[in-house]
Amino acid sequence: MTQTSIHKLLIANRGEIACRIIRTAQRMGIECVAVYSDADKNAQHVKLADEAWYIGESPAKDSYLKADTILEIAKKSGANGIHPGYGFLSENAEFAQKCSDNNVIFVGPPVGAIEAMGSKSEAKSIMQNAGVPLVQGYHGDDQSESLLQQEADKIGYPLLIKATAGGGGKGMRVVESSSDFIDALNSCKREAISSFGDDQVLIEKYLTKPRHVEIQVFADNQGNAVHLFERDCSVQRRHQKVIEEAPAPGLTSETREAMGQVAIKAAQAIGYSGAGTVEFLYDEDGSFYFMEMNTRLQVEHPVTEMITGLDLVEWQITVANGLDLPLLQDQLSINGHAFEARIYAEDPNNDFLPATGNISYMGLPVTNANVRVDSGIVSGDTVSVYYDPMIAKLIVWDKDRNSALARLRGALSDFHVAGLTTNIEFLHQLASNDAFIKADLDTHFLDKHGEELTTADQSLSNDILAVASLFVMLRQSEAHTADGEDPYSPWNTTSGWRLNEDNHHAIELIHNNQHHMITAHFRDTGFLLEVNGKEILARGELRDNQLQVDLDGHKSTVKLAVSGNNLVLFKNAQSWQIEIKDNSLISLDQDNQANLTAPMPGTVIDVLVAPGDAVEEGQPLIVMEAMKMEHTIKAHKDTTVDEVLYQVGDLVDEGAELIAFADEE
Ligand code: ADP
């Protein structure tokens, strides 16, 4: 069979995986066609592709799952290959068949292999025949209640009932004793019917402390097959992965090799080609059992790329083009250790409830050979209700597990998202957790350690209030120095920036519906802040998204994002969204609007007018220097100067009257 190569590739997916596939394909000189729904009109994958076609409304069933529409666009655009990514149509045998019927190369395994792995029980039968180890269980067609109960009692308890059509952690029930079996069976069947339209189940022994270890396999159409080592995905919530790593900590090279060979055997048993993942339960005693095979690229494939130095999408395309695997088993080796953390819009403090909304700001850690970010989202994008709320994957690599973990903590601290709730702080806590550091892993890790990971107290500490207040004060000084023209800056109006007898300014901050009042006094050395009855001398420097802070001599750097009146502060993977009340910088004293007073303590460095001068509103009158910045003080109306009360070189207190006008008493 002569095989043509893919010269134009349609990516039947969205988000980070579409972007990731496009990057590799373009690097290989392949033109890329994106498809998009209403919600994705301005998405990154659309911008990145060479061309993009609209396929329908936002719900996946009206767009990314529309097999016929997608094939039609492949034809119209001249794409001769389709990469399905993961999810959506990636494990849909009918779609793969249609691609082949239309002479479009499906970047994935043969139709028969997808079908074989589509049912958990059929997959188990095939694996059993191929000599692949299975957890003790029953996966036959006879589904009568009495037989299932009998088989269950034979296996013993605890056991697991699984919907054979299940996926994504749905349709599973753990049963603790024989008397609970029938109830659990019925409940599992009900969920299976409503979720998958099929109530067939299998039952198997429930391992109480297993790890989820999976093997990346690759096969070509010439009969070559290799494994690219393992990934440990034991840290799960609701049977869904949170952090993955490669290699699996503590796995001996013998077990790795045995598992790898079994995975290759599993792939060969179904005539596999392309990228696949064979998932195993790895038990405490070192034994391992086939769980299922995913016939696509996995979300967590980048950790394998980091430890092998390979590009798995490039391998997929190479194999789809009918070429041999680029490397054979003895040319492959593990280098160092990698982690992937899935950054989700979700609330770890509220049962990981997905969050939706606009990402007003996203700041990424510096990426390099050690730190990689795969994302399809930038500042300003929206996480919608229609798709998976994953914002990005953060992947780190280093020479060993501990160094990689340190990289992960550092990169998470530098990963800043404003506008919605994320799991970033939770992931940072996980990466800092003793049991996780010791690699004391099993699939119940989060059940056991979840409590230790609940995120830190979200209320505002005095220090955070002080940092936010410092920001407000510096921002105002900056607005004044940058351009004297901002009509709303209190530095540029004498009316709004008047000082009362106490020379203090009120700053009102709102966080989680709680109002905080902070009082700020100018001092030669900075701002004296009164926060909850405590005095803090605050100094700092504001540069772009970074605030250098000095609170009573304790220096630190805080990153921040501003949108409108909202300030988000980021520190050590924690973040606080704070609303600054509009009137925060307006003096407490609104009377005595007339005379021109010093907005802060400083030195007079220039006097631009003399008694008797007629001045116009906005005309510069006096230049002061305070905190190493010059501040030009302007007339707030048309008037005449009566008296200049200070001379060049004079030190002036905050609130001191500088100039008296003729029309004022
Ligand atoms: P799904 O297809 O829904 O993801 P899997 O069969 O892959 O379901 O199982 C998902 C997770 O459930 C596994 O990663 C593991 O944590 C747990 N699990 C599955 N089978 C067993 C078992 N026999 N004993 C203990 N845990 C299991």
Side-chain angles (χ1 to χ4, degrees):
M1 181 180 76
T2 53
Q3 170 114 27
T4 49
S5 295
I6 296 170
H7 57 82
K8 193 165 185 179
L9 182 69
L10 184 150
I11 295 92
N13 216 302
R14 62 178 301 282
E16 68 87 16
I17 193 62
C19 294
R20 189 255 166 277
I21 293 164
I22 291 170
R23 287 208 173 87
T24 289
Q26 287 179 336
R27 184 171 49 73
M28 294 172 77
I30 298 168
E31 267 188 272
C32 291
V33 181
V35 290
Y36 65 93
S37 67
D38 280 330
D40 283 339
K41 277 194 176 116
N42 297 310
Q44 290 307 299
H45 75 281
V46 171
K47 292 180 184 150
L48 217 54
D50 298 285
E51 57 187 89
W53 297 66
Y54 175 74
I55 46 168
E57 288 167 19
S58 305
K61 69 171 177 38
D62 299 322
S63 49
Y64 297 104
L65 287 173
K66 275 165 63 182
D68 290 335
T69 307
I70 290 171
L71 264 168
E72 217 171 279
I73 285 166
K75 300 224 121 176
K76 268 197 232 163
S77 65
N80 67 335
I82 292 187
H83 196 308
Y86 53 72
F88 297 131
L89 294 168
S90 62
E91 292 178 285
N92 184 317
E94 207 181 313
F95 179 64
Q97 183 60 52
K98 277 187 180 165
C99 288
S100 147
D101 295 345
N102 285 277
N103 291 323
V104 172
I105 300 170
F106 177 75
V107 182
V111 175
I114 303 177
E115 279 171 344
M117 292 296 114
S119 154
K120 286 187 200 287
S121 46
E122 201 184 318
K124 291 211 163 175
S125 300
I126 295 169
M127 292 305 148
Q128 194 165 35
N129 294 336
V132 171
L134 301 180
V135 185
Q136 184 198 353
Y138 171 79
H139 45 83
D141 284 335
D142 186 342
Q143 295 279 304
S144 71
E145 233 176 53
S146 56
L147 179 91
L148 290 174
Q149 174 85 65
Q150 207 180 317
E151 290 291 337
D153 293 344
K154 219 192 284 173
I155 296 163
Y157 299 87
L159 63 71
L160 191 61
I161 310 176
K162 280 188 194 178
T164 59
K170 271 199 181 152
M172 297 204 289
R173 291 290 181 283
V174 179
V175 189
E176 297 292 345
S177 71
S178 180
S179 58
D180 296 338
F181 182 77
I182 296 295
D183 279 353
L185 176 66
N186 290 330
S187 141
C188 182
K189 278 175 177 280
R190 275 195 302 274
E191 184 170 305
I193 272 284
S194 75
S195 301
F196 316 109
D198 178 349
D199 71 353
Q200 187 171 340
V201 298
L202 63 86
I203 46 182
E204 63 187 29
K205 187 171 156 58
Y206 184 67
L207 307 183
T208 49
K209 210 177 174 247
R211 281 162 63 181
H212 174 120
V213 177
E214 58 185 33
I215 300 276
Q216 175 72 54
V217 291
F218 241 104
D220 62 23
N221 296 301
Q222 287 69 252
N224 302 305
V226 296
H227 70 84
L228 300 176
F229 316 106
E230 77 284 1
R231 297 183 284 257
D232 191 316
C233 315
S234 299
V235 180
Q236 306 179 346
R237 53 163 170 76
R238 285 191 233 109
H239 300 299
Q240 282 182 331
K241 298 158 187 168
V242 175
I243 281 193
E244 301 96 344
E245 61 183 297
L251 201 75
T252 63
S253 49
E254 291 75 36
T255 306
R256 172 171 300 122
E257 190 45 31
M259 232 185 225
Q261 288 312 318
V262 165
I264 289 174
K265 199 167 17 168
Q268 285 173 332
I270 55 168
Y272 207 78
S273 80
T277 295
V278 183
E279 297 187 336
F280 294 100
L281 285 171
Y282 174 57
D283 210 357
E284 286 169 286
D285 63 2
S287 49
F288 56 87
Y289 308 97
F290 171 84
M291 197 160 32
E292 65 172 355
M293 180 167 183
N294 291 319
T295 55
R296 54 171 162 83
L297 194 66
Q298 300 267 102
V299 176
E300 61 273 23
H301 75 277
V303 290
T304 300
E305 298 187 317
M306 296 297 256
I307 61 156
T308 57
L310 302 171
D311 181 329
L312 298 198
V313 172
E314 185 177 346
W315 274 45
Q316 283 190 296
I317 293 171
T318 303
V319 168
N321 281 340
L323 301 176
D324 289 353
L325 285 179
L327 298 171
L328 295 174
Q329 197 67 55
D330 58 7
Q331 296 170 294
L332 294 162
S333 59
I334 296 176
N335 178 25
H337 200 100
F339 285 96
E340 175 184 278
R342 299 188 189 192
I343 295 177
Y344 272 104
E346 66 180 16
D347 187 357
N349 288 335
N350 189 6
D351 206 17
F352 298 97
L353 204 70
T356 55
N358 187 260
I359 295 191
S360 55
Y361 170 78
M362 182 156 102
L364 302 181
V366 175
T367 55
N368 49 38
N370 295 82
V371 179
R372 163 176 166 181
V373 176
D374 282 14
S375 174
I377 282 180
V378 294
S379 294
D381 283 353
T382 295
V383 176
S384 75
V385 295
Y386 301 108
Y387 316 112
D388 185 71
M390 189 164 76
I391 296 171
K393 305 189 304 204
L394 170 63
I395 306 110
V396 298
W397 177 93
D398 214 313
K399 57 187 187 313
D400 55 46
R401 189 173 190 269
N402 275 341
S403 316
L405 211 39
R407 294 259 181 206
L408 181 61
R409 289 189 292 266
L412 283 166
S413 294
D414 288 341
F415 206 119
H416 301 146
V417 176
L420 41 68
T421 312
T422 73
N423 63 343
I424 294 174
E425 188 187 350
F426 171 83
L427 291 169
H428 189 269
Q429 298 232 0
L430 181 54
S432 315
N433 179 271
D434 278 346
F436 190 73
I437 291 169
K438 285 189 201 128
D440 182 9
L441 302 172
D442 69 75
T443 57
H444 299 293
F445 184 90
L446 287 184
D447 299 333
K448 276 185 261 179
H449 301 284
E451 300 261 293
E452 300 157 35
L453 305 175
T454 43
T455 44
D457 186 7
Q458 287 300 302
S459 61
L460 291 189
S461 65
N462 286 351
D463 280 2
I464 290 299
L465 285 168
V467 171
S469 307
L470 177 64
F471 166 80
V472 172
M473 299 306 280
L474 288 173
R475 179 68 177 252
Q476 292 302 327
S477 336
E478 200 179 53
H480 172 74
T481 353
D483 69 45
E485 303 308 319
D486 177 1
Y488 302 107
S489 166
W491 293 89
N492 298 326
T493 110
T494 49
S495 58
W497 187 248
R498 304 294 298 206
L499 303 162
N500 69 1
E501 299 299 295
D502 308 341
N503 295 345
H504 67 280
H505 306 265
I507 299 169
E508 186 175 357
L509 304 174
I510 306 170
H511 176 254
N512 283 349
N513 296 322
Q514 273 198 307
H515 291 244
H516 303 266
M517 298 300 297
I518 287 89
T519 314
H521 307 260
F522 285 98
R523 290 288 179 269
D524 286 344
T525 48
F527 305 100
L528 187 68
L529 304 173
E530 277 176 43
V531 185
N532 293 324
K534 192 178 165 227
E535 289 195 343
I536 299 172
L537 184 66
R539 278 179 286 202
E541 201 178 321
L542 185 59
R543 216 176 287 143
D544 300 325
N545 280 351
Q546 192 158 303
L547 184 57
Q548 302 291 345
V549 182
D550 178 335
L551 300 181
D552 288 331
H554 179 219
K555 292 174 197 274
S556 62
T557 302
V558 177
K559 293 271 179 67
L560 53 89
V562 188
S563 100
N565 275 4
N566 285 311
L567 166 71
V568 184
L569 297 177
F570 302 99
K571 207 178 167 201
N572 301 335
Q574 268 190 283
S575 65
W576 299 267
Q577 179 161 330
I578 298 164
E579 187 191 337
I580 302 166
K581 275 295 268 193
D582 268 342
N583 61 0
S584 273
L585 273 166
I586 294 175
S587 164
L588 294 175
D589 180 16
Q590 288 297 327
D591 43 61
N592 189 21
Q593 301 262 319
N595 291 342
L596 192 78
T597 55
M600 67 277 161
T603 311
V604 174
I605 57 170
D606 206 355
V607 176
L608 306 166
V609 288
D613 284 359
V615 295
E616 288 175 8
E617 182 183 338
Q619 183 177 332
L621 307 175
I622 281 190
V623 183
M624 283 181 63
E625 190 193 74
M627 286 180 281
K628 296 192 186 116
M629 288 185 289
E630 282 188 18
H631 306 280
T632 304
I633 292 149
K634 298 173 181 175
H636 59 291
K637 59 178 178 180
D638 295 348
T639 183
T640 303
V641 176
D642 182 32
E643 197 181 350
V644 177
L645 299 155
Y646 288 90
Q647 295 172 9
V648 173
D650 283 350
L651 278 172
V652 182
D653 284 338
E654 179 192 11
E657 189 178 354
L658 300 171
I659 290 181
F661 295 116
D663 54 352
E664 288 155 7
E665 290 306 307

